Amino acid sequence: MTDPAGSPEPTTPLPPPVHGMYGQPPYVAGPATPPTERPRRGAFAATVVAASLLVGGGAGVGGAALWTATHDDPSSSASTARTTTPVVDQGDNAPAQGSVEAVAAAVLPSVVKIDVSGSQGAGSGSGIILSADGQILTNNHVVELAGNGGSIRVSFDDGSHADAKVLGTDPLTDTAVIQAEGVSGLTPATIGKSSNLDVGQEVVAIGSPFGLESTVTSGIVSALNRPVNVGSDSQGNSTTYPAIQTDAAINPGNSGGPLVDMSGAVVGINSSIRTASDSTTGESGSIGLGFSIPIDEVMPIVDQMINGETPTHARIGIGVGALSGSNQSLIDGAQVSQVNDGSPAQKAGIQVGDVITKVDDTLITGPDSLVATVRSYRPGDKVEITWSRDGQTETATVTLASDATTG
C-alpha cells in the first residue's frame, strides 16, 4: 500500500489510539491521561478540624497536667531530653542563569494543561502558548477525544481557565492548534531551532503528567533523528517522525508540552514514550526513553493550521516495505514496493525492488526511517536520493511533491 503522504507505511503498525493514548509498547503517546479525582476539600477540612479539636482538648486538660508533672522537677528525664534543633535561614537566591530553576521560571507561564472530554471518554494533556491571545500548540492525539461536540478546557499557570476550540489538526505529524477563548496578555513561548541540538545537551520537559500540572523534569538529549512510529489511521497513513530522544521523564499527560533547551527555547513537542507496561494497572510510565517532535519539522504545518489551511507534507510517490530476499543480509534501507505514475521517484528512475539507502546525508535503515526523513522536508525541497539495484548504487536529485496533489 502507498502512503498518501508519499512515504512508506510501517510494516507493523501499532493499534489505533484508545482514550488519547496510542496502544501498548513499544511506543505510547504520552498524552492524554484520564483525569484523577480531586480530594474532596470538605472532607479534608473536616478531618483537620476534628484533629485540631482533639489536640486542643488534650492540651487544655490532660496537657496541662502533663506539663506540670514533667517540668516541676528540672532534673526529670523528660525535661533533660528536650532539645532545640537549630534552623538556618539559607536564603532564597535568584536562580543561576541556565539552570533548570531559571528555565522553569521562564517557561512555566507559557505551558498549559488541557482537559478534553467527548463521546469516547476524557483525558488530559499539555500545550504550548504561541500567542498572547490564546493560540496553543499541542498534539493531535490530545484533542482528538473532543471530536464533534466534545469540550476542551485550558488551565493556565496562574490558576485561571478558559474554554478552547480546535483551529486545525494534522494526524500525520500528531500536531494540533487550539484557540483559548476570551483571553489576552498571555506569555507566548520562545520557539527555538531543534537543528541546533546536540546529543548529550541538557533539556527540560514541562507539562501535566497524570494530570499534575506545571510539572518540570530534566535530562539530556539521548539521540537525534530517531524514527518513531506511533500508529496508523484507517487509510494506512502512519504517524512517523524523526524524534528527539530524551531521558527527561515523560509520562501520560506530558503530551503536547514543550521540550526546551537551557536557554528556555522550545525545541520539541513531547509526544510519546518507550515503555514497559504495568500489567496490573494497565497504566504505563517512563523508563527514561521519551520522544519529542522536532519543532523545526512542524512549524510550517503549524502556520498552515493557524491560517485555516489544510496541512501539506512532502512525498516522493512510492510505497516501501522491509527488505526481502538477498537484500536482507546485503544492505540496509527501505525496499520499493510501488512507484506512482508521474511521481518524483518515477522521474528519477526508481523502480520496484530498488532499495533506498540515503536521502541527502541521512542513512536510511528501514521503512520508518524513510518516512521520518521525508517528512522532515517540505514540498518543493530538492533532495538527493541514493538507492541500490542489483548491487549497483545510483543517485538522483528530485524535487519533493506535495500530498495536496496526485502522483
Side-chain angles (χ1 to χ4, degrees), residues 76-346:
S76 69
S77 59
S79 177
T80 56
R82 293 177 60 86
T83 60
T84 301
T85 302
V87 175
V88 176
D89 185 354
Q90 80 279 18
D92 186 9
N93 299 320
Q97 184 175 3
S99 65
V100 174
E101 183 183 1
V103 170
V107 179
L108 275 169
S110 303
V111 182
V112 302
K113 179 186 177 188
I114 302 174
D115 289 299
V116 183
S117 63
S119 60
Q120 300 300 311
S124 66
S126 307
I128 305 164
I129 297 175
L130 297 178
S131 69
D133 62 353
Q135 291 174 352
I136 297 169
L137 173 62
T138 186
N139 283 136
N140 174 66
H141 73 257
V142 170
V143 301
E144 65 181 351
L145 276 173
N148 294 322
S151 65
I152 302 174
R153 187 165 176 79
V154 175
S155 299
F156 298 98
D157 185 59
D158 63 0
S160 61
H161 308 278
D163 292 331
K165 62 181 180 181
V166 175
L167 290 183
T169 63
D170 183 41
L172 289 185
T173 58
D174 193 18
T175 54
V177 177
I178 62 176
Q179 174 71 59
E181 300 177 323
V183 298
S184 61
L186 302 180
T187 303
T190 299
I191 305 299
K193 292 185 67 65
S194 51
S195 58
N196 291 335
L197 288 175
D198 297 305
V199 174
Q201 183 173 336
E202 293 182 47
V203 286
V204 174
I206 302 179
S208 303
F210 299 105
L212 302 173
E213 62 266 34
S214 303
T215 294
V216 178
T217 57
S218 65
I220 63 168
V221 174
S222 304
L224 293 169
N225 299 315
R226 182 75 73 194
V228 169
N229 179 339
V230 294
S232 298
D233 63 17
S234 58
Q235 284 75 45
N237 301 318
S238 66
T239 301
T240 305
Y241 47 84
I244 302 165
Q245 181 179 315
T246 178
D247 66 352
I250 295 175
N251 286 288
N254 267 118
S255 278
L259 185 74
V260 299
D261 64 15
M262 301 312 289
S263 74
V266 177
V267 292
I269 307 167
N270 300 321
S271 300
S272 58
I273 59 176
R274 176 89 182 201
T275 181
S277 63
D278 186 336
S279 59
T280 59
T281 65
E283 194 81 55
S284 301
S286 174
I287 58 171
L289 292 173
F291 302 95
S292 301
I293 303 170
I295 200 68
D296 292 359
E297 324 301 347
V298 298
M299 285 311 296
I301 292 172
V302 169
D303 290 338
Q304 288 181 313
M305 289 188 285
I306 289 175
N307 292 328
E309 303 170 9
T310 300
T312 57
H313 315 86
R315 57 177 294 164
I316 55 177
I318 61 174
V320 297
L323 301 180
S324 61
S326 61
N327 289 324
Q328 289 179 293
S329 58
L330 295 178
I331 194 171
D332 288 330
Q335 188 162 346
V336 178
S337 60
Q338 180 179 332
V339 179
N340 293 355
D341 290 339
S343 66
Q346 185 187 56

Side-chain angles (χ1 to χ4, degrees), residues 388-407:
S388 175
R389 179 189 302 159
D390 299 326
Q392 301 297 314
T393 298
E394 301 187 38
T395 63
T397 298
V398 306
T399 300
L400 297 175
S402 170
D403 58 2
T405 61
T406 59

